[in-house]
Amino acid sequence: MPVCIKDPCGVLCILLTYVAVFYADYVIIQWVVLQTMHNSLWGPFNVVLFNTIIFLLGMAHLKAVCSDPGIVPLPESRLDFSDIHTGSQVSLQHEDWTVCTRCETYRPPRAHHCRICNRCIRRMDHHCPWINNCVGEQNQKYFIQFLIYVGVLSCYAILLVATSWLGECPSCSEEVMVKQTRILHSVILVLESTLFGMFVGAILADQVQAILTDETGVEQVQAMRLKGLKAEPKRPNRPRYTLMAEVCGRSHPLLWLLPCIPPPSNNRHASSMSPSGASLHQYEV
């Protein structure tokens, strides 16, 4: 189910993302390749490879933006929450389920309410303005791919700029205006790539840690707030590959980088029955 969040901050961040990416592409082609590699086969090779990374980056980003992150469906009719207070047997069988007072529905374990999306999201990590969407059970794979490709593109851009200035360039223009413009664009691109590279690197490390520890960003914050107040339920330790495969899929790890492969749906099928017995739409995540 496509998602479109009408958040001005998120829309602005998406626009800034594509402006930065297309500016990097412009500088690499116009002021790096055409200025220093136009007589070499490295020129077209670098242009094709750089734009291939941009294509994969754009595909992963669009999928993270438009994909349903794991929205908990709303009930067809108003639910009766009286079983919470009566301690009925049905409620005991679903002790991990919680009630969202904003959505007025039961939500499965590890689902949390997003104030920006105004819906509960299964295994919600956080709401990211750069994709104008929540990072949840269904789109975390695309979000991680987006971070990886931004990081790779940033490093690649810095490498190409450094190579163009450190190597000899007898065919480069000697005009002062051209040299100054090339220097200006190169400095701006290096600064942009460094900032974006460090930014996405930190977020990527946080995402990988959250997956390997089997604890989302929201759950980490809640654990810090509740530390010492009550015992936290411990999840069974599982192999790291299993945890990564739950997000990226059961295919070969190299295929985890392809945005065209959908996230896994094994063992991620929501129950169609809430603790009160009310029917909820069944959906795969």
Side-chain angles (χ1 to χ4, degrees):
M1 180 179 66
V3 176
C4 181
I5 308 300
K6 298 178 181 179
D7 178 38
C9 178
V11 174
L12 178 61
C13 287
I14 289 177
L15 292 177
L16 288 176
T17 298
Y18 285 104
V19 167
V21 169
F22 290 134
Y23 174 74
D25 195 32
Y26 162 74
V27 174
I28 291 299
I29 294 176
Q30 183 66 32
W31 297 102
V32 175
V33 173
L34 292 181
Q35 293 292 324
T36 64
M37 305 178 190
H38 60 279
N39 292 328
S40 170
L41 290 177
W42 285 109
F45 171 80
N46 284 314
V47 169
V48 171
L49 182 57
F50 196 82
N51 281 273
T52 299
I53 298 174
I54 289 179
F55 173 76
L56 293 172
L57 183 156
M59 181 182 293
H61 185 259
L62 287 176
K63 282 183 172 290
V65 170
C66 301
S67 296
D68 176 0
I71 297 175
V72 177
L74 296 176
E76 296 178 350
S77 58
R78 190 178 181 86
L79 299 183
D80 179 17
F81 300 114
S82 60
D83 57 313
I84 299 177
H85 306 288
T86 59
S88 65
Q89 185 67 24
V90 176
S91 179
L92 292 175
Q93 293 173 356
H94 296 78
E95 59 181 7
D96 291 335
W97 287 64
T98 56
V99 173
C100 177
T101 56
R102 296 182 179 91
C103 294
E104 294 187 346
T105 185
Y106 289 98
R107 57 189 176 193
R110 308 189 71 179
H112 303 279
H113 187 87
C114 174
R115 291 176 294 178
I116 299 176
C117 298
N118 200 30
R119 293 292 295 273
C120 288
I121 310 297
R122 292 177 61 88
R123 200 168 180 175
M124 174 183 168
D125 186 85
H126 68 287
H127 184 93
C128 178
W130 296 101
I131 63 172
N132 194 30
N133 200 357
C134 279
V135 177
E137 195 172 63
Q138 280 186 265
N139 68 345
Q140 188 176 24
K141 172 184 177 180
Y142 300 132
F143 181 67
I144 292 176
Q145 289 173 344
F146 167 65
L147 297 177
I148 291 174
Y149 288 126
V150 171
V152 171
L153 195 71
S154 299
C155 294
Y156 194 13
I158 294 174
L159 177 64
L160 288 176
V161 172
T163 303
S164 69
W165 283 103
L166 294 177
E168 295 183 1
C169 183
S171 61
C172 291
S173 175
E174 296 297 330
E175 295 183 20
V176 176
M177 193 66 178
V178 174
K179 273 190 171 183
Q180 290 179 343
T181 305
R182 183 181 162 212
I183 292 173
L184 178 62
H185 283 301
S186 298
V187 170
I188 294 175
L189 180 58
V190 169
L191 289 176
E192 173 194 312
S193 300
T194 302
L195 291 175
F196 271 90
M198 294 175 61
F199 180 62
V200 300
I203 299 177
L204 179 61
D206 182 70
Q207 287 292 299
V208 173
Q209 180 188 18
I211 294 174
L212 297 181
T213 57
D214 199 16
E215 190 175 46
T216 66
V218 174
E219 292 167 347
Q220 291 175 6
V221 173
Q222 290 181 339
M224 292 177 61
R225 290 178 178 175
L226 300 177
K227 189 175 182 180
L229 296 180
K230 64 177 182 178
E232 302 174 12
K234 293 185 177 181
R235 301 185 187 92
N237 293 327
R238 291 183 292 169
R240 294 184 175 183
Y241 179 83
T242 302
L243 294 171
M244 290 296 299
E246 279 192 355
V247 175
C248 301
R250 303 288 178 179
S251 57
H252 192 278
L254 290 178
L255 299 179
W256 291 352
L257 296 175
L258 297 180
C260 55
I261 300 179
S265 58
N266 296 338
N267 300 324
R268 287 171 174 258
H269 200 279
S271 173
S272 61
M273 195 69 65
S274 71
S276 66
S279 177
L280 299 178
H281 293 294
Q282 200 172 35
Y283 66 104
E284 291 187 355
V285 292

